[in-house]
Amino acid sequence: MSREYADENKGCARVYPCERVNMISGIQIALKNAIDVIAPPVTPLQDFIYHWKQLMNFYVSHLTDCKVPVQNTSIPRHLDVLLDILLQEEKEENEPGPCLEYLLQHKLLDLLATLASAETPPGMRTVCLAFLRKFLGRSIYPLLHHTSIYAPIQRLVALCNGNPPSPIEAEEIQFLLTICYLACKYPHVTNIINDAPIVQAVSNPTKKDNERTEIQRVTYVPTRKRINSNPLFEPLDTQAITLINPNLFDKERRKLPRSNHVFKTTVSDPGHLSRRSNESVSSREESVSSSPLAQKSVCDSPLLNTKSSEQWEEKDGGDSSGNKIDEHLQNLRDLRLDTDCNAYEDAGYVASDNQSLKSPNKMPEKSKCLLLDALLSYLNSADNTVRIRACEGIMALASLKDPSFAQTTARSELPSIVSTRLENLFNAIPAHVDHLDIYNVDVTWGLDSPLWTQEKKFPGCRQVAAFFMWYDYCDRLIREAQMELAETLARTIRVVFFERIVTPALADHHVILITALVAKCLKVTTSSILCTEVSYWLVGQDRDPEIPNVWTSPVLHRLIENCFTDSNDLTVETLKLFEEALDKRNEHILHCLVLIYLSTRAYYDNTAADSAITSWSDEEDEREKDKKGTLDLSYEQNYSRTLAPSNIHRVINCFLSLMPRYLQTDPDVNNFDKYMPAWEQQYTSALSDCALMAWPLEAVMVDDSASSDSRPEADHCSGRFYMGPFLSMLFDKISNMPRQTYEINLEVMGLILRLALLPHPYLHEFLLNPLLPLIPGTKSLFLCLQKVVKQLVSEIPKTPENKIMLAETRQRLLSSCPQEEEKEDILCESAVVTEELCKELAGIAYVKYHHSV
Amino acid sequence: MSYAYLFKYIIIGDTGVGKSCLLLQFTDKRFQPVHDLTIGVEFGARMITIDSKQIKLQIWDTAGQEAFRSITRSYYRGAAGALLVYDITRRETFNHLTTWLEDARQHSNSNMVIMLIGNKSDLDSRREVRREEGEAFAREHGLVFMETSAKTAANVEEAFINTAKEIYEKIQEGVFDINNEANGIKIGPQHSPTSPGGLAGTGGQGSAQGGGCC
């Protein structure tokens, strides 16, 4: 019992008979170190073995009582020395040295994993995880493929579980991240670490490495089966369950195929008992034979002669302790073996075993990834850092360039866990949050934006920030993940979050806040894959045009209805959402919202073409004729004549002269130059964003043969032009400008300008060419604006002092600092907005012209 | 502690070039020869003074391993400054600079100040990259250049502080929009900005886009 300390103290144990006085171990180590300095062991290997034996001695002397916290024992220090020796050896040798060999050969990590599982002494798990993290993280050798390394690592990974919260989760997550790092650094071990499904390993003929497949088959089945077959069997609780009720454990254990001899210490199969005993014997022989060597080096030192008797005694102790270690470990094993043996008699074993052997393809569960599942369990940790570390590990695994692993992760629980968390955080946002606060929330998922979760910028700020941090993580994860996983993630988020949660919420009490949140989501989405899924949610997946008053996309339907409620706030927020949608410059969104309705040019009045062309220049007349014959050639031009009509000055004049002088308030009339630089910049980015959308270069009538589409309902040739629900709504809003609040008008203006900026020829001419001949009865932007101006002209002069009012309104609206509430006048405000809108449109028309010549 | 500005930095470069040691030397003024592998990102902060203004540097030390690029890319966002580090005793770390620079330019804001650092200048006997090569690379890509030693602390202060000075100058020139935290600059609590309103600020395409209506 007391040999361990006798060993180390070299006599001191007699002075301090009470070995469990905590401070003793410190003195012991100090003494031992002193001795080591005076008489260093002969070789690093001997030193290594010596420290290992010392470490094991603890268990021999504490067979029944392991209540001493690990920090009060000598274990951590021995492990530190072992680590130092290993790393030093790597530095000095060009190939794996004897210490590393010893570690592999004698399965030291296996023993450590067993001790960590058993948490003997208390805190041992933390110490072991830290040791392994440092050792594996620093080692220059790819060690993970060794059976004696990955088997214990797998067991330890399975032990790490953040649900329920573990007191040592910080250390656990560091350990897991190190394993992630190794899995990414040496992708060939990914499957070993992640417990790839046996089905895949067997059915995949490309796996040439038979040996590896064999290893996988042998190693993975136990763990996977164990985890899958019973939800009760959580990795962290393995030990607890075993200790509390061993039989509970057995029920799982007996399902294990018999070939799991790799798990030597988590003995589950009595068939290997004898084999294991043999190994124990052999390792004992090793330890016996090596032990005297280590001791001898110490006693060779002449300075220690006086203590030689004690050392010889110690040597004996070493031998006997070696036996005791193995005995003890054997006991640890037998503890579980006994119950296994009983369980083995159970007839159920055969049945379940057979079943699993007969139908390996009938795995009802999703494929499991040991490491990924462990990381996922920390996603709900209360500790922000632990949570983010788990996110980092998941991201590293998701980005791993290994197609079969990407497939495995796509089928894992990752997508649903990530989406469910998004849903939960969304639901946690209090309903009283002011929708105006949402826009300025700027957070990222990483450790670099902790401020929002701590600060109280507005009520509910923390929940809003938590939601957007997670949304940012989803977005980034999808960006970084391999294609298959990325697509699955994005699709799951659409279905679980947007369709199931957000869609119904767009009709409930808090729709204003919900709309603001969705608009913000759109704004912060950077991943094109996620953006595509969100676009499917927003406008539907169908790319055909809608028929008037027949709604096929429920979300778009709802949003457009929300623009026509009594609530100005809801209108503004919904328009903002559309603004974000347009800003995504997503082909599908633009197509479904606007372009599909214009693509047949059904708004264009063919019969008026002749008269129209007289209003154009002669060159354009020629061009018009040319193009009909040589449609293909127009694609080879790199600039568009549609966007650069030679009558540009007439176009610009139309916009600039729309507002009568006496209603204009800008002293610098007709000067739209100041808008140019900003639009230049905007247009350049629009051009590059839309470059790959395969839009036509020119607006020309497409031949009937070419446009013969398979959509009878989209029969635009009948002359009925439908601009689609979105443009219809916008034009309604434009027409209504004199009666709408300034905020709504601003949003409407923003949307129109965004559309006008796009380099799409049909959209361009439809919005920006007031001279275009239109089918009679077709609404156009210019016609709407004309009506607005007409109304303003008839009503504003009726109000007293309207000139001053207009000037004051302009002053108020355009000054950058909000002033005290002055008298607001919707008519005057509308006049100012209309005037600005006309000038902006003229500016955009000119910038586009300029770019196309 | 109050500050006038907070600048966010990131440290990038190949594994083992001494990124974590540079940070430790700058924040704690000490050198740790054996450093645990940086997994993901680590964080450090220090207060400096420029132009008699207190400036807080918030520094994100990233993992150099390829395996963790996916994570570190998230941290490029909103960084005002970057220290791009290579090891003068390992040629390959210099050769990888182009990749790092592309990554940084692609994922960060265009105004980010990048300082190129050749670390381990104390190991001159094992030097594989000449000082002139570092200078040439920096000149070619518009970076500031400096050789440092995290071990002897040579030029470490200067590297961090000169980067901050560069950012500070850019603020003075109006290059950085300090009201936008995505630029990696935060104004201290006592300098809260006034938010612009009205047509110029919120309307249409916004002030930056609709262009000075006023």
Side-chain angles (χ1 to χ4, degrees):
Chain A
M1 198 58 116
S2 64
R3 297 308 307 196
E4 183 229 356
Y5 286 130
D7 241 11
E8 280 198 357
N9 294 340
K10 317 214 181 325
C12 289
R14 286 175 204 145
V15 184
Y16 301 101
C18 176
E19 291 146 10
R20 281 175 212 112
V21 174
N22 294 342
M23 59 182 290
I24 291 181
S25 61
I27 298 165
Q28 290 160 356
I29 289 288
L31 256 174
K32 194 199 69 61
N33 287 347
I35 292 164
D36 283 354
V37 169
I38 299 161
V42 177
T43 65
L45 178 61
Q46 285 164 345
D47 198 15
F48 187 81
I49 295 169
Y50 169 75
H51 282 284
W52 177 252
K53 301 250 181 260
Q54 292 297 330
L55 192 155
M56 280 295 129
N57 275 345
F58 173 85
Y59 292 94
V60 177
S61 48
H62 290 79
L63 280 177
T64 52
D65 176 23
C66 286
K67 295 278 193 293
V68 193
V70 74
Q71 292 307 333
N72 295 336
T73 70
S74 55
I75 292 173
R77 288 170 229 204
H78 285 304
L79 279 174
D80 283 348
V81 178
L82 290 171
L83 180 65
D84 285 345
I85 296 172
L86 283 167
L87 295 175
Q88 194 57 35
E89 180 184 79
E90 280 194 356
K91 263 190 197 168
E92 286 162 7
E93 313 244 349
N94 287 325
E95 50 188 22
C99 297
L100 182 58
E101 259 170 34
Y102 184 88
L103 177 134
L104 294 174
Q105 223 174 353
H106 297 271
K107 321 225 179 294
L108 305 196
L109 301 189
D110 228 8
L111 290 169
L112 283 181
T114 304
L115 299 174
S117 308
E119 262 285 66
T120 40
M124 187 58 185
R125 189 173 297 166
T126 318
V127 173
C128 283
L129 291 177
F131 171 79
L132 279 166
R133 165 171 66 83
K134 290 175 182 166
F135 170 54
L136 295 172
R138 286 184 194 164
S139 176
I140 52 171
Y141 300 111
L143 296 169
L144 269 184
H145 59 277
H146 289 282
T147 321
S148 53
I149 303 265
Y150 72 71
I153 294 293
Q154 278 186 328
R155 288 168 56 210
L156 288 173
V157 168
L159 276 181
C160 293
N161 192 317
N163 193 21
S166 144
I168 58 162
E169 57 181 8
E171 187 55 54
E172 289 173 353
I173 202 77
Q174 287 285 347
F175 169 74
L176 292 177
L177 270 176
T178 306
I179 305 302
C180 278
Y181 159 67
L182 294 170
C184 295
K185 191 174 178 191
Y186 309 112
H188 60 282
V189 300
T190 312
N191 286 335
I192 297 181
I193 288 305
N194 276 294
D195 193 30
I198 186 168
V199 187
Q200 200 188 328
V202 172
S203 64
N204 192 347
T206 57
K207 291 231 190 298
K208 288 167 198 151
D209 192 349
N210 285 333
E211 199 182 342
R212 212 178 96 199
T213 316
E214 193 59 38
I215 290 168
Q216 286 169 354
R217 205 182 312 172
V218 171
T219 4
Y220 301 161
V221 179
T223 347
R224 182 168 47 74
K225 287 292 293 176
R226 202 173 53 190
I227 294 170
N228 282 0
S229 44
N230 188 344
L232 277 174
F233 189 68
E234 292 295 331
L236 184 67
D237 297 326
T238 307
Q239 216 55 43
I241 291 169
T242 320
L243 295 175
I244 295 163
N245 180 3
N247 291 324
L248 197 68
F249 196 13
D250 300 329
K251 290 211 165 121
E252 304 312 318
R253 278 296 165 82
R254 55 189 145 77
K255 289 182 186 170
L256 302 178
R258 306 184 64 171
S259 54
N260 73 338
H261 60 263
V262 179
F263 286 104
K264 294 194 185 74
T265 47
T266 54
V267 175
S268 55
D269 192 335
H272 294 285
L273 179 58
S274 56
R275 193 170 161 265
R276 204 169 297 106
S277 314
N278 290 341
E279 272 180 16
S280 299
V281 170
S282 68
S283 74
R284 188 179 334 164
E285 279 161 7
E286 281 275 352
S287 60
V288 171
S289 61
S290 58
S291 176
L293 264 172
Q295 309 304 330
K296 205 180 161 197
S297 65
V298 178
C299 66
D300 278 349
S301 165
L303 290 171
L304 289 165
N305 277 342
T306 50
K307 290 181 183 170
S308 63
S309 63
E310 280 162 18
Q311 268 155 26
W312 285 112
E313 198 184 308
E314 182 207 329
K315 182 195 159 192
D316 294 335
D319 285 346
S320 62
S321 74
N323 293 330
K324 283 185 178 175
I325 295 165
D326 286 331
E327 251 170 54
H328 177 49
L329 288 169
Q330 197 55 53
N331 285 342
L332 276 178
R333 290 162 181 159
D334 290 346
L335 222 111
R336 262 168 285 165
L337 270 177
D338 292 339
T339 54
D340 275 343
C341 289
N342 297 336
Y344 194 59
E345 318 264 295
D346 197 330
Y349 171 78
V350 186
S352 59
D353 192 20
N354 281 349
Q355 199 184 5
S356 70
L357 287 176
K358 269 182 202 162
S359 52
N361 290 321
K362 274 193 181 174
M363 295 296 167
E365 305 89 359
K366 294 175 172 184
S367 59
K368 283 274 183 176
C369 317
L370 196 59
L371 184 54
L372 188 63
D373 288 343
L375 287 166
L376 286 169
S377 72
Y378 293 90
L379 285 184
N380 290 314
S381 165
D383 182 335
N384 190 41
T385 308
V386 167
R387 209 169 50 232
I388 289 173
R389 293 289 182 213
C391 288
E392 291 179 349
I394 292 164
M395 193 178 263
L397 289 180
S399 63
L400 203 73
K401 287 190 185 69
D402 177 335
S404 76
F405 181 66
Q407 202 175 31
T408 312
T409 51
R411 288 185 201 149
S412 72
E413 289 183 324
L414 173 63
S416 78
I417 288 179
V418 163
S419 310
T420 309
R421 185 170 159 80
L422 191 65
E423 176 193 333
N424 293 339
L425 290 171
F426 184 80
N427 289 333
I429 297 174
H432 60 74
V433 171
D434 187 346
H435 63 98
L436 295 174
D437 286 326
I438 302 299
Y439 189 82
N440 291 318
V441 176
D442 205 5
V443 290
T444 57
W445 67 272
L447 290 166
D448 50 347
S449 66
L451 288 171
W452 283 87
T453 46
Q454 288 160 14
E455 278 179 25
K456 276 201 163 280
K457 297 204 178 192
F458 55 85
C461 161
R462 278 182 55 228
Q463 289 90 334
V464 172
F467 168 74
F468 282 111
M469 284 167 102
W470 190 248
Y471 190 84
D472 180 54
Y473 179 69
C474 295
D475 180 54
R476 288 278 147 175
L477 183 62
I478 292 167
R479 265 178 79 136
E480 301 292 348
Q482 294 297 302
M483 189 59 95
E484 185 170 352
L485 173 60
E487 285 175 348
T488 312
L489 272 168
R491 201 166 46 241
T492 315
I493 287 173
R494 166 169 61 86
V495 173
V496 171
F497 175 64
F498 283 100
E499 289 178 356
R500 228 177 271 164
I501 305 300
V502 180
T503 305
L506 286 176
D508 84 358
H509 294 315
H510 314 297
V511 59
I512 299 174
L513 174 63
I514 303 286
T515 309
L517 289 168
V518 175
K520 182 75 181 176
C521 283
L522 269 170
K523 185 183 168 67
V524 297
T525 303
T526 63
S527 141
S528 59
I529 295 176
L530 180 57
C531 190
T532 301
E533 291 295 336
V534 177
S535 76
Y536 289 161
W537 168 76
L538 189 68
V539 296
Q541 294 194 52
D542 192 356
R543 285 174 67 83
D544 292 343
E546 292 196 341
I547 308 162
N549 303 319
V550 180
W551 297 90
T552 49
S553 165
V555 176
L556 185 60
H557 180 194
R558 168 58 59 192
L559 290 175
I560 286 179
E561 277 189 350
N562 285 353
C563 289
F564 291 102
T565 63
D566 294 337
S567 162
N568 281 339
D569 282 346
L570 181 54
T571 307
V572 169
E573 287 301 338
T574 308
L575 293 175
K576 274 188 181 154
L577 191 153
F578 280 123
E579 198 175 282
E580 297 297 347
L582 293 185
D583 277 349
K584 291 278 85 137
R585 303 249 164 88
N586 173 287
E587 196 274 338
H588 185 70
I589 293 180
L590 294 174
H591 174 93
C592 293
L593 277 187
V594 179
L595 301 178
I596 180 64
Y597 301 99
L598 306 178
S599 62
T600 48
R601 217 189 183 199
Y603 50 85
Y604 185 75
D605 188 359
N606 265 323
T607 59
D610 287 337
S611 61
I613 283 173
T614 56
S615 72
W616 290 15
S617 68
D618 287 345
E619 300 96 289
E620 259 152 331
D621 192 357
E622 285 303 310
R623 181 164 58 88
E624 182 80 4
K625 284 173 189 160
D626 284 353
K627 252 179 289 170
K628 294 210 165 169
T630 58
L631 189 63
D632 294 340
L633 283 177
S634 65
Y635 285 94
E636 287 168 20
Q637 283 176 275
N638 52 4
Y639 58 88
S640 162
R641 292 299 300 173
T642 307
L643 302 191
S646 47
N647 59 354
I648 179 71
H649 291 292
R650 287 197 58 204
V651 169
I652 287 172
N653 268 330
C654 284
F655 286 116
L656 291 182
S657 59
L658 191 60
M659 200 74 169
R661 281 288 161 102
Y662 64 94
L663 286 185
Q664 292 186 1
T665 47
D666 188 353
D668 203 2
V669 192
N670 285 357
N671 180 9
F672 58 92
D673 293 355
K674 58 187 174 189
Y675 300 101
M676 290 304 177
W679 286 124
E680 280 281 345
Q681 207 187 337
Q682 288 287 303
Y683 188 58
T684 311
S685 87
L687 276 177
S688 74
D689 287 348
C690 301
L692 294 174
M693 292 192 190
W695 286 346
L697 194 66
E698 305 285 356
V700 289
M701 292 309 286
V702 183
D703 281 349
D704 284 357
S705 56
S707 71
S708 71
D709 43 45
S710 53
R711 308 185 301 266
E713 74 277 11
D715 183 16
H716 296 291
C717 302
S718 65
R720 286 197 319 275
F721 165 64
Y722 174 52
M723 66 179 82
F726 181 65
L727 277 181
S728 302
M729 179 274 287
L730 263 189
F731 283 8
D732 278 357
K733 293 285 168 195
I734 290 277
S735 310
N736 203 33
M737 271 170 71
R739 287 174 297 277
Q740 275 165 184
T741 65
Y742 173 62
E743 287 71 29
I744 292 178
N745 287 342
L746 272 187
E747 287 307 321
V748 172
M749 172 171 155
L751 284 169
I752 286 291
L753 294 179
R754 276 170 172 79
L755 288 175
L757 194 67
L758 296 173
H760 188 283
Y762 299 105
L763 184 60
H764 172 91
E765 67 170 5
F766 187 61
L767 293 179
L768 287 179
N769 190 352
L771 305 168
L772 193 74
L774 294 172
I775 297 274
T778 303
K779 261 191 186 179
S780 79
L781 173 62
F782 193 71
L783 288 174
C784 292
L785 285 173
Q786 275 180 322
K787 271 188 207 159
V788 169
V789 171
K790 206 173 151 190
Q791 202 171 351
L792 293 172
V793 164
S794 72
E795 290 185 23
I796 289 184
K798 292 179 196 161
T799 55
E801 293 184 327
N802 58 69
K803 279 262 173 198
I804 301 162
M805 282 268 290
L806 274 175
E808 277 176 3
T809 306
R810 180 182 186 82
Q811 183 85 43
R812 176 163 57 84
L813 297 181
L814 294 188
S815 65
S816 54
C817 40
Q819 291 155 1
E820 69 282 5
E821 281 303 302
E822 289 171 48
K823 196 180 146 211
E824 282 174 27
D825 184 296
I826 283 192
L827 270 183
C828 289
E829 287 176 345
S830 302
V832 175
V833 174
T834 309
E835 186 189 344
E836 288 303 310
L837 176 56
C838 289
K839 278 191 290 189
E840 300 273 21
L841 287 170
I844 291 177
Y846 188 71
V847 165
K848 286 170 103 173
Y849 168 84
H850 200 69
H851 259 269
S852 303
V853 291
Chain B
M1 197 155 149
S2 76
Y3 51 83
Y5 294 107
L6 182 148
F7 296 166
K8 181 183 158 186
Y9 278 18
I10 49 167
I11 313 182
I12 52 175
D14 273 12
T15 182
V17 297
K19 296 182 292 297
S20 303
C21 292
L22 279 169
L23 177 60
L24 192 69
Q25 182 60 258
F26 180 67
T27 56
D28 288 28
K29 297 195 176 12
R30 63 192 171 92
F31 178 71
Q32 197 180 324
V34 185
H35 215 280
D36 264 347
L37 182 77
T38 307
I39 302 258
V41 292
E42 299 292 341
F43 163 79
R46 207 187 113 179
M47 206 69 100
I48 58 166
T49 310
I50 291 178
D51 200 15
S52 69
K53 284 198 170 65
Q54 288 283 88
I55 292 176
K56 184 174 178 178
L57 297 185
Q58 188 192 67
I59 306 152
W60 296 91
D61 172 31
T62 66
Q65 291 82 20
E66 183 66 34
F68 287 115
R69 287 282 178 97
S70 53
I71 300 165
T72 54
R73 272 197 284 270
S74 277
Y75 285 83
Y76 284 125
R77 289 180 296 175
L83 304 189
L84 172 55
V85 189
Y86 68 93
D87 176 352
I88 63 156
T89 70
R90 277 161 60 214
R91 163 72 54 182
E92 74 270 16
T93 65
F94 182 76
N95 294 341
H96 293 156
L97 288 179
T98 327
T99 331
W100 280 110
L101 204 56
E102 273 169 23
D103 224 27
R105 291 251 156 94
Q106 199 186 335
H107 294 93
S108 64
N109 79 69
S110 52
N111 292 321
M112 184 169 81
V113 174
I114 304 177
M115 163 82 77
L116 180 66
I117 288 178
N119 192 32
K120 307 194 186 175
S121 62
D122 53 296
L123 302 175
D124 206 50
S125 56
R126 282 160 52 194
R127 180 189 282 274
E128 285 183 13
V129 184
R130 283 180 298 119
R131 191 189 160 81
E132 294 72 35
E133 295 176 83
E135 282 168 346
F137 186 92
R139 216 172 19 249
E140 191 186 331
H141 295 92
L143 319 174
V144 193
F145 176 68
M146 209 167 252
E147 282 197 350
T148 61
S149 165
K151 192 173 180 180
T152 67
N155 270 344
V156 173
E157 289 274 301
E158 290 81 353
F160 284 90
I161 291 174
N162 288 359
T163 310
K165 280 182 181 157
E166 193 103 346
I167 296 166
Y168 186 77
E169 276 166 28
K170 282 200 173 189
I171 295 174
Q172 304 301 311
E173 290 163 12
V175 178
F176 274 119
D177 175 14
I178 49 170
N179 289 322
N180 185 355
E181 280 181 30
N183 278 329
I185 297 162
K186 196 171 175 265
I187 305 171
Q190 71 271 42
H191 296 244
S192 44
T194 52
S195 57
L199 193 61
T202 57
Q205 301 264 317
S207 57
Q209 302 162 11
C213 308
C214 47

